[in-house]
Amino acid sequence: HPKYAILTNIDSDHLSAYQGSVDVLKQAFYTFAMQVACPAGLVWCHDDPHLFDLKLPGQSYGFSKGAFWQIHNYRSGFFHSLFDLSFSGYTFK
């Protein structure tokens, strides 16, 4: 039972360990997410359709308007990425 977890995506790269089923894989992620000690300690990517479908507690992040932590003004360079981060009317630049 972890205190914190960040879920970035659910991808098919480990399907062989989950009977080749996306549904079984998603259930495993859901089971893991529900074991996080406090819902506020769970952060998940709002842009990933599989994670979004799970309707997880905690805080979402991403480019989507519905994300709790919304990414804006993304730019990348040589060995770095920069972005602004907004939530509840506040923006961190």
Side-chain angles (χ1 to χ4, degrees):
H1 296 276
K3 288 185 180 182
Y4 309 100
I6 299 173
L7 303 179
T8 57
N9 68 348
I10 296 177
D11 205 351
S12 60
D13 55 345
H14 297 292
L15 268 181
S16 62
Y18 294 93
Q19 304 165 352
S21 169
V22 172
D23 290 333
V24 174
L25 178 60
K26 286 171 63 173
Q27 182 59 46
F29 267 80
Y30 183 81
T31 299
F32 171 78
M34 295 293 98
Q35 293 177 358
V36 174
C38 175
L42 178 64
V43 179
W44 55 275
C45 182
H46 192 277
D47 300 332
D48 182 82
H50 296 302
L51 289 172
F52 184 80
D53 286 347
L54 293 178
K55 298 179 179 19
L56 297 169
Q59 302 175 34
S60 64
Y61 71 91
F63 295 95
S64 304
K65 285 193 177 237
F68 181 83
W69 296 94
Q70 190 175 7
I71 299 166
H72 304 276
N73 197 22
Y74 177 84
R75 56 241 182 250
S76 63
F78 193 66
F79 290 110
H80 71 275
S81 295
L82 302 169
F83 55 89
D84 298 340
L85 191 62
S86 299
F87 86 103
S88 296
Y90 298 96
T91 298
F92 300 94
K93 296 183 177 230

